[in-house]
Amino acid sequence: MLRIKKLHLLCMILLTIPACSFINFHAQAEPVQKDNVVPFLQELFEDRTRLLMDQDKKHIEDHYLLKDKRSNYEYLHEINRAEYIQEWAKHRKIKFVNAESSIRIARIEVLGDMAKVSLVQSLKLSYEYVNSYPGQHDFGIGTRHGITLRKKDNRWYVEREWYSDPLEENPKKIEKSDLHFIANKAVLEPTKIINKYNRSRAVDYANKYAGITWGAGNGQRYNQKYLDYNSKGGDCTNFSSQVIGDKEEGGGLPMRSGWHYSYGNGGSQAWVQTDAFKNFLIRSGYGRIIGQGSFSNVVQSVNDLQQQPEKPQLLPGDLIAYVLRGDVDHFSVVVGFDQSGYPLINSHTADRFKVPFDLGWDKNTKYLLIHIRD
């Protein structure tokens, strides 16, 4: 299930980006520069990436018709996401030190003074901790965009845009916390005797098939054995099920009645739907909740478990469920920890690669830490 922040996103994406269109972004030749649309798009995304770093509105003002209600809405959306990411960094006592963006254009259709574009953006962000923990951590986010451009006075401007934005949150609603993670010493043991769950392979699978984000493997493509559920409401649960259940490359947990995938036909409800997946994990015994609640609750739970090594720890290959208003809204896969012990996750919709687990969420979000039994 996907938290779609712009309700009209789904229909627009269905019209503009085919279900497996991320494959085409890599297979087709360099797109033709139709009426200077491509240079405009390249400059637009470069300037929006600069905005994330310093919040200087001047970077993007010239790309929008600020007196047009629709275009101004899109402009303010970009301002808000830049404010959110910097506010999040301040509360987590880190600073962003670099941002890089690349786009791949799937389709451009120019009709007079209007252009419709389908593209994906691969964003790389890098941060360091303020006054602690030396070193830099890099992570990636991938998003699919449907954009309508309008030409005025021989220049292109953004009129409308649709995308599932993982950074679209209220910057005033980030949970403030004085707690911090204890540096995590958890290490995967690839030589460990595997009883049921191959944790090391599960993490490798999550990294290989993370999708269109920077850092992902497989040419930034999903595993084509499985259907892509982005156009059906979101692919996060389908991806998490693959990570723990794919028998050839993933964790290899045996499929069971209620939780299974039929190749060519798709997954069962528990395979693709968030609440059903969470319920299956707990009832089947495959998973166990080892922490839950707010961001502060999660920090405390993870740190407490580290002081009790006889208890199940949060490890790479475990899962995090995101709960809004009592319902599970999203799933991600823990793939490691940064230098401070901050859990890092991969997910689909939007595609994430080694992202701090709470980036893109706010104080209204509750978390379930689900340890997969080895």
Side-chain angles (χ1 to χ4, degrees), residues 5-290:
K5 301 176 181 175
K6 295 185 179 180
L7 295 179
H8 49 282
L9 166 70
L10 183 57
C11 292
M12 180 63 185
I13 294 300
L14 279 170
L15 290 172
T16 58
I17 304 181
C20 292
S21 59
F22 54 88
I23 299 170
N24 297 329
F25 297 143
H26 303 271
Q28 67 184 22
E30 194 70 23
V32 177
Q33 295 193 7
K34 295 185 178 180
D35 200 17
N36 292 320
V37 171
V38 172
F40 170 79
L41 292 168
Q42 291 171 335
E43 183 178 357
L44 171 69
F45 279 85
E46 288 173 2
D47 287 342
R48 291 196 334 198
T49 302
R50 293 168 62 198
L51 173 70
L52 290 177
M53 293 295 292
D54 61 21
Q55 299 186 76
D56 186 346
K57 300 176 183 179
K58 294 180 180 179
H59 291 320
I60 67 169
E61 285 178 349
D62 291 343
H63 302 314
Y64 297 84
L65 296 166
L66 300 184
K67 293 183 179 180
D68 178 88
K69 183 178 180 180
R70 293 174 298 183
S71 183
N72 188 62
Y73 176 85
E74 307 301 345
Y75 165 77
L76 293 176
H77 167 262
E78 298 303 323
I79 299 299
N80 179 81
R81 74 196 299 263
E83 183 180 352
Y84 169 81
I85 198 171
Q86 291 297 338
E87 279 295 305
W88 176 86
K90 182 174 70 175
H91 292 314
R92 302 298 177 253
K93 297 179 175 56
I94 70 173
K95 60 180 179 180
F96 285 99
V97 295
N98 189 44
E100 301 174 15
S101 170
S102 64
I103 61 173
R104 290 183 174 87
I105 299 169
R107 180 184 303 160
I108 298 175
E109 183 180 7
V110 179
L111 299 170
D113 64 352
M114 184 179 71
K116 293 186 177 181
V117 180
S118 301
L119 61 80
V120 295
Q121 181 193 27
S122 178
L123 180 66
K124 175 185 177 182
L125 292 166
S126 306
Y127 66 79
E128 296 175 351
Y129 279 88
V130 178
N131 301 323
S132 62
Y133 303 110
Q136 173 179 300
H137 175 67
D138 304 324
F139 67 89
I141 295 173
T143 46
R144 298 163 176 81
H145 299 249
I147 308 174
T148 299
L149 305 179
R150 182 69 62 182
K151 181 180 281 188
K152 183 177 180 180
D153 298 328
N154 207 36
R155 289 190 58 186
W156 288 109
Y157 297 89
V158 175
E159 183 176 64
R160 297 296 299 273
E161 183 171 4
W162 297 263
Y163 67 107
S164 178
D165 181 5
L167 303 179
E168 185 186 11
E169 289 290 352
N170 188 334
K172 297 180 181 178
K173 290 187 176 181
I174 300 169
E175 182 181 345
K176 302 177 178 66
S177 177
D178 293 327
L179 297 175
H180 62 276
F181 289 99
I182 299 172
N184 193 291
K185 298 182 175 61
V187 178
L188 291 180
E189 302 177 52
T191 58
K192 178 181 176 181
I193 296 175
I194 304 299
N195 295 318
K196 185 163 56 176
Y197 183 50
N198 192 321
R199 189 173 295 275
S200 180
R201 282 203 331 185
V203 172
D204 289 343
Y205 187 102
N207 289 332
K208 180 176 180 179
Y209 296 113
I212 58 176
T213 172
W214 171 88
N218 197 43
Q220 294 184 325
R221 298 177 298 170
Y222 290 180
N223 189 340
Q224 295 177 56
K225 289 195 312 183
Y226 298 92
L227 296 179
D228 175 3
Y229 282 82
N230 276 297
S231 63
K232 299 177 176 63
D235 199 63
C236 63
T237 311
N238 179 37
F239 178 60
S240 296
S241 289
Q242 293 171 39
V243 167
I244 67 172
D246 187 275
K247 64 182 180 180
E248 295 179 353
E249 298 181 80
L253 287 179
M255 294 183 189
R256 291 188 177 182
S257 175
W259 180 72
H260 58 84
Y261 190 90
S262 175
Y263 296 98
N265 295 316
S268 65
Q269 184 177 19
W271 186 278
V272 301
Q273 199 272 335
T274 50
D275 284 290
F277 181 52
K278 183 266 292 184
N279 292 336
F280 165 78
L281 289 171
I282 305 309
R283 292 171 183 169
S284 67
Y286 277 178
R288 171 180 176 182
I289 296 175
I290 59 173

Side-chain angles (χ1 to χ4, degrees), residues 125 127 137-141 203 206-207 210 213-216 333-338 342-347 351-357 359:
L125 292 166
Y127 66 79
H137 175 67
D138 304 324
F139 67 89
I141 295 173
V203 172
N207 289 332
T213 172
W214 171 88
V333 181
V334 178
V335 292
F337 304 88
D338 75 1
Y342 215 118
L344 306 173
I345 58 89
N346 290 10
S347 72
D351 296 348
R352 295 169 170 89
F353 179 82
K354 297 187 177 180
V355 176
F357 80 98
L359 178 61

